[in-house]
Amino acid sequence: MPQPSAAHPGAPLTAGDAAIEISGLTKAYRGGQLAVDGLDLVVPRGSVFGFLGPNGSGKTTTIRMLMGLIEPTAGSARVLGLPMPGAGRRVLPRVGALIEGPALYGHLTGRGNLLRLDAADPTADPRTRAERAGRALERVGLAAVAGKKTRAYSLGMKQRLGLAAALLQPRELLVLDEPTNGLDPQGMREIRTLVRELAADGTTVFLSSHLLDEIEQVCTHAAVMARGRLITQGTVAALSAAVLGSSGRGRLTVTTPDPADAVRVLKEHGVTDLQSAGDLVTGDLPPAAGPPDRAGTPGAPGTLGASEGPDGPGGPDLAELNAALVHAGVRVRAFGTQRASLEDAFVRLTGEGFDVAG
Amino acid sequence: MSRADTAPRRPRPLWSLGLLRNEIGTTFRRWRTLALLAVLAGVPVLVGIAVKIETGGAGPAGGGGGPAFISQVTNNGLFLVFTSLAVTLPFFLPMSIGVLAGDAIAGEAHAGTLRYLLVAPAGRTRLLLVKYATTMLFCLVGTLVVALSALTVGALLFPLGEVTLLSGTTVSFGEGLLRALAIAGVVALSLTGVAALGLFVSTLTTSGIAAMATTVGLLITVQILDTIPQLHTLQPYLFPHYWLSFADLLRDPVYWDQLQKNLGLQALYTVVFGSAAWARFTTRDITA
């Protein structure tokens, strides 16, 4: 799996580094309901930034304000260093966007759709238009159906065409609102690979999704919104670690045919909150072990999910725990730590599943 | 695809016209537009055949009744142009303009394509101007389609020749043709008011169908108001009030009074509703 190039997730940010800088952004709809409430957000240049939140948490409203489609009630947003929506004419040609799913002209072909959107951009050179459209179509794997009317496209094909429109020009920032929505697993993988490639070329990617796997796999940074407010932001690694605190290193999991003996031995070695179910024994490692310091580690997506954790220094060594079990005659089938995923972090933060906020 | 590529992009003023070209191409290749034009082309055919059957080719039709100029059609096919424009101007032409103008912004909003045009970035004022220009072009094309269809049918079914004007003077066929062209131009300009009205309605909603229905509904309402005698003080301000003044171009000398009032009224509607559309569209939150 190629790693995003974003490189310095832990580095301190200065204003000039930010691809998107939001401060105090607020949007009240008619009736006074706050869709977005005092949002502060910084998206570093070169990052792949995951924007998380339950449905109705204000993600799309935020994205629309960033793109100049909605006027904020209060606060300000700067995109690529310029104020939005004021500097839209200078900012938007450098931004590729996929907002709330694709929207196409059904009576035009795939190519026709791209040519029209490109014609709408006053900075796009008409002499290279056909060639650029062709390349964008190839990049998303639609070259073979470019001449078909998009009325006949499947949702996945429409989604790809939407991405192709975002790739018509070299962009400094890509804003992708749920880009893998409606795609089959193969298509999802391709899009993620594409996002990583683009990030590797230096494009900043702002990716909203409610698929936590996706954020974990692709993103270097993430922010979580709920009910119009920002709950947290930071590197994906730091986010999981900070939220999960001492248990950031995960729960000890032992599979054994002798659960009762295993519980006794582990208790003697300071493991707390022991639970056994069938042949599975789980428990929290003693706090002395401390959470592994993941905050400063360069974003290592893909390692946060269920993993057999290597252990840091301090506290009882996992290897010693295992030796103690075996020494006491406990037969061990499997042994390791189950690391909490971003999903755990998310549920803990928002205190809810993906139900619409009330 | 590196950042270095993005730097040397200097927009040229002419590139801004790309959207207008694309909009015109897209609109006039659309099946719906072609269907509207086909209906418009069909009206003169129906009128021509009806007149031919009714008179059986035996002398002029009975005086009075029917649309303007219809009694002269059998003598001179060119009059079918005037008759057809008089028949289509009250309803068919403005209705097709209403469909096009009503759908202009609302249709894009409904399909969601509006947000992608705006982040392209098309620019709200530019997009509105492009839509209005395309609708105006459709006014002209629609009118010319009626006129050309009528001229063709007229030439096929009836004799052509010198034209006797409403004031009794006779002019050559060539001059008659020129006057027909001028009338087509005036008819097209008569439709600009309703086009601006439709565009304004289109910025109010995110449903293309609702915008079309509202525009056509307004058109019918105004047409009815224009026939109620008790409202005569209001009527000079209704956009269709002077529409049929184009007949004054068939007088010698031409009566300019009503023609000028008509064009002035259309300009007024264009300014008022064009500004309203602009004010609304440039400040509106695009949530569709």
Side-chain angles (χ1 to χ4, degrees):
Chain A
M1 179 191 299
Q3 300 246 328
S5 69
H8 313 296
L13 292 167
T14 60
D17 281 344
I20 298 175
E21 216 183 340
I22 297 173
S23 80
L25 198 67
T26 301
K27 178 66 190 181
Y29 282 121
R30 257 177 293 180
Q33 191 206 339
L34 290 171
V36 176
D37 185 3
L39 184 68
D40 296 297
L41 193 69
V42 176
V43 176
R45 270 195 199 255
S47 64
V48 180
F49 197 100
F51 195 38
L52 280 164
N55 296 333
S57 59
K59 283 178 303 186
T60 297
T61 303
T62 306
I63 288 177
R64 283 177 181 270
M65 284 193 277
L66 288 175
M67 298 291 99
L69 294 173
I70 293 182
E71 191 90 21
T73 311
S76 69
R78 295 178 79 82
V79 178
L80 299 173
L82 295 167
M84 282 299 288
R89 295 187 73 123
R90 277 179 294 158
V91 173
L92 292 174
R94 294 146 67 197
V95 179
L98 189 63
I99 304 162
E100 257 190 304
L104 306 171
Y105 298 91
H107 60 280
L108 295 181
T109 64
R111 183 184 304 279
N113 270 278
L114 291 190
L115 295 179
R116 178 164 169 82
L117 288 176
D118 199 63
D121 179 354
T123 69
D125 187 345
R127 286 165 301 185
T128 59
R129 183 162 293 151
E131 186 202 333
R132 283 182 292 113
R135 254 185 292 149
L137 284 163
E138 266 170 39
R139 189 139 199 199
V140 297
L142 284 180
V145 290
K148 268 194 188 166
K149 299 215 163 160
T150 56
R151 194 181 287 129
Y153 277 23
S154 68
L155 179 56
M157 287 155 82
K158 288 179 181 169
Q159 191 80 359
R160 284 160 188 259
L161 193 63
L163 265 170
L167 301 176
L168 275 168
Q169 301 238 34
R171 311 283 192 187
E172 288 171 55
L173 171 67
L174 281 177
V175 175
L176 305 177
D177 195 0
E178 318 218 334
T180 57
N181 210 5
L183 294 181
D184 52 23
Q186 181 63 30
M188 286 187 175
R189 281 175 63 116
E190 286 169 20
I191 296 306
R192 285 176 198 152
T193 308
L194 186 64
V195 167
R196 287 194 198 99
E197 279 172 25
L198 291 164
D201 291 341
T203 308
T204 309
V205 182
F206 186 75
L207 181 87
S208 114
S209 179
H210 56 232
L211 298 178
L212 292 151
D213 286 1
E214 189 162 286
I215 301 279
E216 281 193 318
Q217 285 179 34
V218 181
C219 296
T220 56
H221 294 64
V224 181
M225 268 189 97
R227 295 191 186 88
R229 289 170 170 276
L230 184 77
I231 300 208
T232 186
Q233 63 176 317
T235 64
V236 168
L239 195 64
S240 306
V243 170
L244 298 171
S246 60
S247 59
R249 122 180 191 186
R251 275 173 78 82
L252 177 69
T253 309
V254 182
T255 315
T256 167
D258 313 315
D261 291 337
V263 166
R264 181 176 47 79
V265 174
L266 289 173
K267 195 175 249 169
E268 282 167 12
H269 284 80
V271 178
T272 55
D273 191 24
L274 281 158
Q275 287 169 5
S276 76
D279 60 354
L280 198 70
V281 176
T282 61
D284 281 340
L285 290 166
D293 179 24
R294 298 186 55 87
T297 342
T303 62
L304 280 171
S307 64
E308 302 294 305
D311 201 30
D317 191 343
L318 279 182
E320 279 168 22
L321 272 179
N322 194 12
L325 284 170
V326 174
H327 192 69
V330 179
R331 294 166 293 169
V332 176
R333 285 206 190 103
F335 184 91
T337 54
Q338 184 85 38
R339 192 174 299 285
S341 66
L342 192 58
E343 182 159 346
D344 296 328
F346 182 90
V347 171
R348 203 172 289 196
L349 280 170
T350 60
E352 58 191 305
F354 293 107
D355 295 332
V356 175
Chain B
M1 262 240 146
S2 72
R3 214 174 288 176
D5 294 342
T6 63
R9 249 192 286 144
R10 274 168 264 102
R12 312 259 173 85
L14 261 183
W15 292 3
S16 297
L17 289 176
L19 183 58
L20 179 60
R21 276 203 303 272
N22 186 285
E23 176 71 23
I24 290 171
T26 306
T27 304
F28 283 95
R29 273 199 302 265
R30 219 177 152 171
W31 188 87
R32 189 184 66 195
T33 314
L34 298 178
L36 286 173
L37 291 177
V39 168
L40 290 175
V43 172
V45 178
L46 285 179
V47 175
I49 291 174
V51 171
K52 186 80 181 170
I53 292 172
E54 188 64 25
T55 57
F69 316 112
I70 202 157
S71 54
Q72 276 110 313
V73 170
T74 43
N75 297 327
N76 192 338
L78 191 57
F79 273 90
L80 190 60
V81 175
F82 311 137
T83 308
S84 299
L85 287 174
V87 168
T88 51
L89 183 53
F91 189 69
F92 285 99
L93 273 170
M95 184 207 66
S96 49
I97 304 299
V99 168
L100 219 73
D103 199 43
I105 300 291
E108 300 266 7
H110 182 69
T113 45
L114 182 60
R115 61 176 184 265
Y116 285 108
L117 283 178
L118 291 181
V119 302
R124 297 192 186 203
T125 307
R126 178 166 159 248
L127 183 59
L128 202 62
L129 286 174
V130 161
K131 290 287 186 185
Y132 190 59
T134 308
T135 311
M136 300 261 273
L137 184 66
F138 183 83
C139 294
L140 185 63
V141 171
T143 310
L144 287 179
V145 162
V146 172
L148 288 176
S149 166
L151 189 62
T152 313
V153 173
L156 288 175
L157 297 183
F158 307 103
L160 292 177
E162 289 187 331
V163 180
T164 308
L165 298 178
L166 296 182
S167 38
T169 331
T170 302
V171 298
S172 68
F173 178 71
E175 193 187 332
L177 215 51
L178 276 181
R179 291 199 184 221
L181 196 66
I183 284 175
V186 168
V187 168
L189 286 174
S190 301
L191 295 166
T192 53
V194 71
L197 178 66
L199 199 64
F200 170 62
V201 171
S202 192
T203 60
L204 297 178
T205 164
T206 56
S207 159
I209 303 285
M212 289 184 225
T214 307
T215 311
V216 175
L218 278 172
L219 170 74
I220 295 171
T221 312
V222 171
Q223 293 275 47
I224 291 171
L225 292 182
D226 202 28
T227 60
I228 300 176
Q230 285 80 357
L231 295 175
H232 68 274
T233 47
L234 185 69
Q235 284 165 354
Y237 302 99
L238 300 177
F239 61 86
H241 189 67
Y242 298 109
W243 271 357
L244 292 180
S245 67
F246 74 80
D248 290 347
L249 279 170
L250 288 179
R251 296 178 198 277
D252 191 27
V254 172
Y255 289 5
W256 291 107
D257 182 43
Q258 301 243 313
L259 283 166
Q260 279 167 352
K261 278 186 181 160
N262 181 26
L263 296 185
L265 195 59
Q266 301 308 324
L268 182 70
Y269 270 81
T270 302
V271 168
V272 169
F273 286 102
S275 314
W278 178 82
R280 163 76 181 157
F281 187 54
T282 50
T283 55
R284 167 178 153 191
D285 282 347
I286 309 295
T287 52

